[in-house]
Each structure stands twice: as C-alpha cells, then as structure tokens.
Amino acid sequence: MYLIWSVAWFYLAFTGLISHSDPQALTFGESRLVYEWTSLDLDWASEAEKQEAVNNGSFVAERNLVAGIKLYKGEVYLTIPRWRYTSGQPATLLKVVKVNGEPKLRPYPDWASQKQGDCRALQYVQSMEIDPNTGRMYVIDAGRVGLSGQEPVLNVCPAKIVVYDLNSDTKIDSYELDEEVVSRNNSFLNDIVLDYVDGVVRYAYITDVIESRLHVYDFKSRKGYNLEDPSMKPEFSTNGTVIRINNTDYTFNGGLDGIAMCPDFEYVYYCPLGGYNLYQVPTSSLRAGTFGPTTGPRLVGRKLTQTDGLAHGNRRLYFGMLGLSAVYFWDSLTDIRDQNSSIDKVMMKTQVKVVEDVERMQWPDTFAFDDDGWLWFVSNRLHLFSSRTMDFTGKHGANVRVWKVFVNETGYLHQADARTRANNGSVGTKFNRSSYLRSSYLYILSICFALIIILGLK
C-alpha cells in the first residue's frame, strides 16, 4: 500500500496537482480571495484632501475599476485605466498598502506621476509587466483618456513605455512610441509581454484592441513597428463579439487583446477580445517584423468562451473564460502526445478548468505569477461597469476582487536572464525545453516501472 501511495504522489507532483515542497499543504486549483472592494479608495494624505477631490470632481469612486495586476517581492501592483471617463480617476498605476489594517491603493511611484495632462506623467495605464530578474516594471501608457466611454476622448499625450526600478521606486527610462507606430487618436494599448534575447529584455509586444494590431518595440534600437493579420480582428462572422455572462448578453467589439509569451521565448499566443480563437506566432517573425507564408500566425484552437487575459507559466498557458467566470489552462503536453505532434503544429483540444465561481469571479481579467507557485488574477465585473449596471451599494457584493490560485509554477520570465544567455552559439532555452521533455518521459517511465512492480507483488 505504501508503494502505491508513493507512486501516486510522484505522479501528482510531476503534473503539478500538489506542491513539490509540501504535498499536504496545497493542491492544484486551491484558490484564496486576497482583496475585495465594492468601490475603490486611494491612500490619501489626509481625509481633507480626499474630501476636496470628491468636491471638485477629481475623484469619483464609481469611475474607478482595477484591471491590471503584477507582483514583485510580495508587493501587489494594480492599474486603474482611465476607461470610460475623462475625469474622476486621479491615479492610474497603484500599489496595494495596508492603512489601519485596510487595503488601500497608493499611487505608484507617487501622486505627481499620475497627473492627467502632464505628458511627463502617466495618462492611461491598462497593463504592465515586471521583470523579476531585474526588478524593472515596464508600463504601457496609451496617452489617451476616456477610450471607451461616451465622452469625447482626450488625446492628451503620445503613447510611451515607462520603465521603473521597483527596488528604488524611481523612473529609469521612458520610450515614446511614434505616431506612425501608435496612433494619437485611434489606439487602445491593452497588454504587454517581454521578449528576452541573449540574457536581456530586447523586445516588447503590445496588443491594441481598437486598431487590432500588434505593436513591437525594440529597446536596443529604440524603435517600434506594427504587425497586422486578420486573426487580430474581432470575429463578427461567428458572433464572437457577444459574450454571455450569467444569461445576459454583452457586446464587446474588441480586437487583439490577450497575449502570452511561452517560457522558451519561441512563440507568442494571442486572442481577440471579441472572439473565441487562440493563435500562435513565432517570435522570430515578430523580431523580423514580417509574416511569411509559413511563419505567420497559426490557429491553435477555439476556446470554450471569450478571453480577456492570457498568461504563460513555465509549463502551461492559462486564460480567463469570460462566459464561465472561470480560469482554464491548455494541457498542451496531453494534446502533443495524443496527436503525436509538436508545439508548432499541435491543436488545442484539452481545456482544463482550474477554478470557477459564477458570482465572485465574474470577468477574470489580468494575470500574474508570484515566486511561490500562485497565479494571481483580477475579477472586476467589467461587463457591468461597461454597461453602466454595476451596483456600488454593496447589495450584490464586491465588484473588484484579487484572487490567487495555486498552480505550482512560476511565470515565463522566471530566471529568463540565465536561461536565454547565449552559450557556445546556442540559446539556453532550447536546451531547457528538451530537458523538460526528457524529464517528462523519465517520470512516465518511472511510473510504469513502479506499476509493474506493484502488479508483480500481487
């Protein structure tokens, strides 16, 4: 009996269904609610300052909604995009702090960096990425305010990527995106992933929901360019722009939205908001700035419902299921085995539920990994916010929640500096992928061998 349980534990540990370090403490898919708010409040210098902001209209609590999330050394960073309104949102990049035991949102790195109308400050932040190897945060600032509301959009400033050093809380660089790359009056910068080359961050890939294109920025040359493909557009022909949540239909005509980088930096995955399909594209094409007949985007499969955020760990691709108020992952290793295929040809067939809650996980938005095997995400009921039906009285519970779910893996950037450093003319990640596959086969062979022994004992 002991041998049977030993074999079972090794199998579960390999698949990530229990923690390698403490199998009795955590199980795959175990979720915890970290924060929740009915309406958001900031970390004001004083109550008088807050009241003044309320009185002059510079702070309207009901106009603030969290979207982006990232973590670094236990600190949680969030974004409040200046989405539907052109006023009432005094800060767009924030850090969670405890004030008298209550979680508050403190403008990051300070209040001055949030000033609307000052192009040296942040205007509209939807998402960001944190490189855990350097402690640098890469923030995409759309430069436009009120992108999806009924008020005229304020085309305040040019779009830019701002880089902060989280270890010193200082801005270390700012990369302005030219008008030819990001339109000043018809763009919606949504999400970002980083591409490591030879041990350093070389490229950023940024999705644009309105223009349905991918913006590429080369940090070495300090230049950007765009890539477009029909796969980046909303799926009108299949009614993909209608998202059904709790038996109510909501229309989102958004194009290219979610994006994820695989841990060997060979492929990027993406999907439109208004659509079901998931696509894969080689980073070699993105770096070259062109799609060839056999090197362009490839349809991987159709998700069960539409998705906002995507995230790739060191093993799995995770995505929010908007119509199900859930988080799923693609079991690519199972599909590769069953289809006798490879990662560049396999089709997504196996979609596995990680966690689901139709009331408390409505609209799983952005994802982030910590260093302890947890996948964090924001659920923000964006469909209610966008349709102006969100209840801020608390009668229907919290509107914004921050969750974490145990998945027993880290993010795609974990130790990327060492993994991608050139070694004798080859990139370390290719060795890591083959090593990982070899380990997989060894585990499976070990399990089979142990089962043979068990059967022999009988």
Side-chain angles (χ1 to χ4, degrees):
M1 181 62 70
Y2 176 78
L3 185 57
I4 294 175
W5 281 111
S6 298
V7 172
W9 183 86
F10 276 115
Y11 173 74
L12 293 171
F14 164 67
T15 57
L17 296 177
I18 61 175
S19 168
H20 291 275
S21 58
D22 189 355
Q24 294 182 344
L26 298 169
T27 57
F28 183 89
E30 177 179 335
S31 63
R32 295 180 185 175
L33 178 62
V34 185
Y35 306 114
E36 62 178 350
W37 299 275
T38 299
S39 60
L40 301 177
D41 197 6
L42 307 186
D43 179 30
W44 301 91
S46 66
E47 188 62 29
E49 181 180 281
K50 174 183 175 180
Q51 193 57 50
E52 181 182 357
V54 171
N55 292 340
N56 63 30
S58 60
F59 175 57
V60 181
E62 294 78 9
R63 296 184 178 184
N64 293 259
L65 195 74
V66 168
I69 181 171
K70 288 294 181 285
L71 287 92
Y72 180 67
K73 291 185 176 180
E75 302 283 359
V76 179
Y77 299 85
L78 303 173
T79 69
I80 298 179
R82 286 165 171 154
W83 254 321
R84 300 190 60 83
Y85 306 95
T86 56
S87 63
Q89 299 157 292
T92 187
L93 178 64
L94 311 100
K95 181 171 75 170
V96 180
V97 297
K98 285 291 185 68
V99 179
N100 298 323
E102 295 293 325
K104 300 283 186 178
L105 303 182
R106 177 176 295 168
Y108 185 84
D110 49 39
W111 279 98
S113 300
Q114 318 293 322
K115 186 177 180 181
Q116 188 171 312
D118 183 351
C119 291
R120 295 168 299 179
L122 300 170
Q123 302 303 301
Y124 179 108
V125 178
Q126 179 98 4
S127 190
M128 66 291 201
E129 184 61 282
I130 294 176
D131 181 0
N133 307 292
T134 61
R136 294 184 177 183
M137 175 192 287
Y138 294 75
V139 181
I140 46 175
D141 181 4
R144 311 175 69 219
V145 177
L147 303 188
S148 59
Q150 296 177 345
E151 305 173 21
V153 179
L154 297 180
N155 299 316
V156 183
C157 302
K160 58 184 180 289
I161 303 174
V162 182
V163 183
Y164 293 101
D165 182 352
L166 300 182
N167 296 306
S168 60
D169 296 327
T170 57
K171 182 169 75 172
I172 59 175
D173 213 333
S174 182
Y175 303 85
E176 185 173 314
L177 302 173
D178 295 337
E179 167 75 16
E180 308 86 70
V181 179
V182 179
S183 170
R184 287 285 295 270
N185 55 23
N186 192 43
S187 61
F188 189 151
L189 302 187
N190 186 78
D191 207 351
I192 177 174
V193 292
L194 302 175
D195 186 4
Y196 254 84
V197 178
D198 292 341
V200 297
V201 173
R202 174 66 186 272
Y203 299 94
Y205 306 128
I206 303 168
T207 60
D208 193 320
V209 177
I210 289 180
E211 293 200 301
S212 298
R213 59 171 54 167
L214 186 68
H215 304 295
V216 181
Y217 193 81
D218 183 343
F219 290 105
K220 184 176 182 179
S221 67
R222 300 183 76 95
K223 294 185 181 298
Y225 51 89
N226 297 320
L227 288 166
E228 298 185 57
D229 188 80
S231 61
M232 301 177 185
K233 298 184 181 300
E235 297 169 15
F236 293 109
S237 61
T238 59
N239 207 33
T241 58
V242 178
I243 305 175
R244 172 158 287 230
I245 302 174
N246 290 354
N247 298 317
T248 301
D249 290 341
Y250 301 88
T251 300
F252 287 87
N253 297 327
L256 181 59
D257 186 293
I259 187 169
M261 172 71 74
C262 65
D264 61 8
F265 298 94
E266 292 187 5
Y267 295 98
V268 161
Y269 295 90
Y270 66 79
C271 62
L273 174 60
Y276 293 89
N277 290 335
L278 176 70
Y279 296 89
Q280 176 198 70
V281 63
T283 52
S284 57
S285 298
L286 304 183
R287 296 168 185 171
T290 183
F291 293 149
T294 60
T295 59
R298 179 183 74 88
L299 175 63
V300 177
R302 179 183 172 92
K303 294 178 277 83
L304 299 176
T305 181
Q306 296 91 334
T307 290
D308 194 337
L310 298 175
H312 211 305
N314 59 6
R315 281 181 287 182
R316 308 179 185 94
L317 175 67
Y318 296 87
F319 37 87
M321 291 292 203
L322 298 179
L324 301 175
S325 298
V327 176
Y328 276 59
F329 74 86
W330 172 31
D331 190 351
S332 57
L333 288 179
T334 293
D335 285 343
I336 288 173
R337 180 200 65 200
D338 292 348
Q339 299 169 34
N340 191 25
S341 187
S342 56
I343 193 63
D344 60 327
K345 296 181 177 62
V346 65
M347 299 300 296
M348 179 178 64
K349 301 295 183 182
T350 309
Q351 302 177 50
V352 182
K353 181 170 66 178
V354 181
V355 67
E356 178 181 22
D357 191 320
V358 296
E359 290 299 327
R360 300 191 302 159
M361 293 182 180
Q362 292 179 33
W363 202 282
D365 199 321
T366 313
F367 296 91
F369 289 90
D370 65 17
D371 295 326
D372 299 316
W374 294 87
L375 174 66
W376 295 59
F377 67 96
V378 170
S379 61
N380 57 19
R381 294 181 172 177
L382 177 59
H383 53 296
L384 301 181
F385 184 79
S386 296
S387 61
R388 301 178 187 270
T389 58
M390 181 171 280
D391 172 30
F392 291 97
T393 68
K395 181 179 179 181
H396 295 94
N399 290 311
V400 175
R401 293 182 173 92
V402 173
W403 293 91
K404 65 177 183 178
V405 56
F406 187 70
V407 295
N408 202 22
E409 60 180 299
T410 55
Y412 75 99
L413 288 170
H414 184 70
Q415 297 181 345
D417 51 348
R419 291 189 291 110
T420 62
R421 193 169 293 121
N423 182 18
N424 297 325
S426 62
V427 179
T429 52
K430 293 183 179 179
F431 169 79
N432 284 341
R433 165 176 282 184
S434 60
S435 177
Y436 174 70
L437 290 175
R438 284 198 299 271
S439 298
S440 302
Y441 297 143
L442 287 174
Y443 266 107
I444 294 171
L445 288 173
S446 298
I447 292 168
C448 293
F449 181 70
L451 290 174
I452 291 171
I453 293 175
I454 293 170
L455 293 175
L457 291 175
K458 291 182 177 181

